[in-house]
Amino acid sequence: MKQPNKEGDTSYHSRRSVLGSVAAASGTAAITSIGTVAADGPNKFIGKTYDPVTDKEQGNATAVLDFAPDGLKGTLSAAGFDIDLGVDEPLSDHGNNSNSSMYTFMKNTDEYSVNYNGKNLPLHGRLDVIGSQITGTLKRPSAEYGPLAFSLSPISDGITAEDIGRALKPDRRREIVTGFSEVSLPKKGIPTSNSVRNMYTSRKVEDNRNIGDNTGLSSEIEPSDDDEYDVGAIVRNLSPESSDYHFYPSRCDKDSRTINWECQYATFGTRRYDSDGELMTSEHEIAFSNDKRWHMQLYFEDPPDPHVEPCDQDEGIPFQTNIEFWAGHSDESDLNDVEFRHPRPKDSDDDNGTNSEFLGTVLNIVGVVGGKWGQIGSTIVGYALLNGSGSSGPSVSDTGTGEKQEFYWDLPLDDYAADNTGNKYFPAHPDDAAGANITVDNKAGHGHYIDVRTRARFEWLHLEYYDAKCPCEHSGTFAKRTTTDLIDRTGSYKSVEV
């Protein structure tokens, strides 16, 4: 992530004097380049709810929030809900980003929850506070529902809901979001058309049917140690998997700037060896009545650039907030062919230490692998899952209808620990890849090819402008959410006898 060199920049420091912030009130330091919020009483905010995938607007949002040393309390009115926060006790900041504060909540009473397929789905919420600006999401723990974002600014700053509405960029998102025209937002409530399962995308299929059996294949390296896995790519990208490259005029001179990012995604399958170290089944094969682990991995070859001018940008913004993974049957497969089990990471309410064990998994990439992944050799799951339970930790659901099954991961992200040697704010290296994995249990007869579908989408927080003034003189900024396009891949394996 490109950041300005602020060492010795007196204009930067004089314009951005630290006046005290929400995070400072709760005992942490913060950069306050976009104003501050008083910590001595309720503050009124106004803004918009919108789809972070397409930037399509839903409606107005308001909040009355009290930031005190012991936490956050108040009321958030958004998407038709009036949500009381910190009723029993103030919400605590449990994020790891020194430049922002982060609060989460869950509401499961009748006025907030819905029933879907016989399951009660609560309302999950997250708020990120940067200086005087707030952005967050409302969600439900199911692949049926997508994210709904909100952005709020203090009324005392003279900002209106229309100001923030002007800063949403659906025309810019239209250029990169495949299913843009299919997304519609309800007047109230949480949308479904933008969910990781329901959203339309141009599906790509990795054709493995010309591979044949494993005759002639041999292991390219010795079988790995017990704490590592040899894997090959089942589905992978030979070009940027999800990317954006956008020119826009500078607000302060005649030059133009660019916003760009590029992420890489692949699904890997484990290899099996016999006692002599000879390859029994490749990544494209699963023995009848046997299983393999399939690993979904994503990292940013080029992390998202700031959406604002260098003179108005702070260290640590943009930063990661969430990632979704999905795995399920294709249109041509069902439970008679393949069953999915043992997801990692697990739901935070049923963790038992498995999520900490899941992080740090080493995958040795072997076989024929194209694109960026073929140049790596190994990849490690090392991104920063947000610890906690309920709305503050991983949500993993196993659902399906009839002969179909799916697993859905909704994983809130935090900053890496201070000793992380890579990018603190994004999984920007194969050694810090975001990932999820699952057992693929083969039930198909010998010689059959079975399709499995996987999906992924990454979300982050950044700053955006709502006016056309030069930010070095007047910074009309607010905080918002955005995502990659939905990545959709179908891979196949062959059922074999060994």
Side-chain angles (χ1 to χ4, degrees):
M1 179 167 53
K2 304 173 183 66
Q3 297 289 350
N5 180 7
K6 298 187 280 286
E7 186 70 29
D9 186 348
T10 56
S11 63
Y12 177 91
H13 290 287
S14 62
R15 190 172 70 86
R16 300 166 183 267
S17 58
V18 178
L19 304 177
S21 68
V22 174
S26 59
T28 60
I31 293 175
T32 56
S33 62
I34 48 179
T36 59
V37 175
D40 56 356
N43 297 266
K44 294 182 179 181
F45 296 83
I46 194 166
K48 290 287 186 180
T49 54
Y50 56 94
D51 170 25
V53 184
T54 62
D55 267 14
K56 292 183 179 181
E57 179 185 321
Q58 183 191 56
N60 289 353
T62 61
V64 179
L65 302 175
D66 186 1
F67 297 92
D70 59 343
L72 168 67
K73 57 185 177 181
T75 301
L76 169 66
S77 298
F81 301 108
D82 292 321
I83 306 168
D84 292 327
L85 305 175
V87 176
D88 297 326
E89 59 180 325
L91 303 181
S92 298
D93 173 13
H94 53 266
N96 193 45
N97 190 331
S98 61
N99 299 327
S100 66
S101 301
M102 187 267 289
Y103 308 89
T104 64
F105 62 86
M106 178 178 67
K107 298 290 185 178
N108 57 10
T109 56
D110 291 344
E111 60 186 304
Y112 301 110
S113 62
V114 298
N115 186 282
Y116 176 70
N117 279 350
K119 293 184 178 181
N120 187 66
L121 301 179
L123 182 68
H124 287 183
R126 170 172 171 169
L127 297 87
D128 289 272
V129 184
I130 308 173
S132 64
Q133 305 300 311
I134 299 174
T135 183
T137 51
L138 298 174
K139 295 183 174 183
R140 299 197 186 278
S142 167
E144 174 66 12
Y145 291 88
L148 182 71
F150 56 88
S151 291
L152 301 166
S153 292
I155 293 178
S156 60
D157 286 356
I159 298 171
T160 66
E162 289 69 28
D163 288 332
I164 293 180
R166 286 195 301 272
L168 299 175
K169 300 293 191 298
D171 289 340
R172 187 167 71 192
R173 298 296 294 171
R174 185 191 301 272
E175 298 174 3
I176 68 167
V177 176
T178 307
F180 182 93
S181 61
E182 307 297 323
V183 173
S184 60
L185 273 62
K187 293 182 179 179
K188 296 181 179 180
I190 310 305
T192 58
S193 60
N194 66 343
S195 79
V196 72
R197 183 226 290 141
N198 296 336
M199 190 165 179
Y200 172 81
T201 186
S202 57
R203 178 175 50 161
K204 295 183 180 180
V205 178
E206 190 79 7
D207 187 3
N208 301 325
R209 287 166 172 75
N210 60 350
I211 294 174
D213 57 29
N214 62 18
T215 304
L217 292 175
S218 61
S219 70
E220 299 184 6
I221 59 176
E222 290 297 318
S224 302
D225 296 334
D226 291 339
D227 58 349
E228 297 182 359
Y229 296 91
D230 290 349
V231 298
I234 301 165
V235 289
R236 81 283 193 193
N237 52 298
L238 303 180
S239 60
E241 192 63 35
S242 184
S243 61
D244 185 21
Y245 193 81
H246 175 72
F247 284 94
Y248 69 96
S250 172
R251 297 174 185 268
C252 300
D253 54 46
K254 296 181 180 181
D255 297 331
S256 63
R257 300 188 61 240
T258 60
I259 302 167
N260 67 283
W261 46 265
E262 177 185 324
C263 72
Q264 303 288 332
Y265 173 78
T267 300
F268 298 101
T270 52
R271 289 184 159 198
R272 289 280 172 82
Y273 301 90
D274 63 20
S275 58
D276 296 324
E278 294 296 322
L279 183 66
M280 295 176 61
T281 55
S282 75
E283 59 273 18
H284 300 293
E285 301 168 316
I286 304 179
F288 171 70
S289 195
N290 211 320
D291 59 57
K292 291 277 189 78
R293 294 297 287 183
W294 278 28
H295 301 259
M296 295 167 281
Q297 305 276 97
L298 179 149
Y299 78 97
F300 281 87
E301 180 74 14
D302 184 9
D305 290 326
H307 284 238
V308 299
E309 299 282 353
C311 63
D312 198 40
Q313 186 61 248
D314 284 326
E315 174 66 31
I317 305 172
F319 62 82
Q320 60 191 5
T321 52
N322 196 83
I323 187 169
E324 299 171 281
F325 291 103
W326 181 93
H329 290 107
S330 71
D331 295 339
E332 294 76 27
S333 64
D334 57 34
L335 283 168
N336 294 309
D337 305 311
V338 58
E339 183 179 356
F340 309 112
R341 297 181 286 108
H342 305 311
R344 295 292 185 274
K346 296 180 66 176
D347 193 292
S348 58
D349 289 331
D350 188 30
D351 184 355
N352 296 323
T354 55
N355 288 341
S356 59
E357 296 170 3
F358 157 76
L359 295 173
T361 302
V362 179
L363 304 182
N364 294 310
I365 302 175
V366 297
V368 180
V369 184
K372 301 290 185 181
W373 295 102
Q375 305 168 18
I376 292 170
S378 68
T379 181
I380 303 173
V381 179
Y383 65 114
L385 282 174
L386 182 65
N387 295 320
S389 61
S391 63
S392 63
S395 174
V396 183
S397 61
D398 173 14
T399 58
T401 57
E403 296 297 324
K404 298 290 187 179
Q405 184 190 19
E406 67 179 9
F407 270 90
Y408 169 61
W409 293 260
D410 182 34
L411 307 178
L413 303 182
D414 199 358
D415 274 5
Y416 292 95
D419 60 354
N420 182 71
T421 56
N423 188 316
K424 284 185 63 178
Y425 309 107
F426 287 91
H429 189 276
D431 286 351
D432 288 321
N437 64 66
I438 197 168
T439 294
V440 178
D441 191 352
N442 175 37
K443 298 182 177 181
H446 172 63
H448 288 271
Y449 287 91
I450 305 302
D451 292 337
V452 176
R453 197 170 184 177
T454 68
R455 289 184 157 198
R457 183 167 60 197
F458 196 92
E459 176 195 275
W460 64 91
L461 179 155
H462 65 91
L463 300 180
E464 185 62 88
Y465 292 122
Y466 62 81
D467 60 33
K469 298 180 180 179
C470 179
C472 297
E473 300 171 359
H474 175 78
S475 174
T477 56
F478 77 103
K480 74 180 296 285
R481 292 291 212 277
T482 198
T483 74
T484 63
D485 192 8
L486 182 62
I487 304 167
D488 185 4
R489 292 291 179 268
T490 297
S492 64
Y493 70 85
K494 183 179 181 180
S495 179
V496 298
E497 291 182 343
V498 294

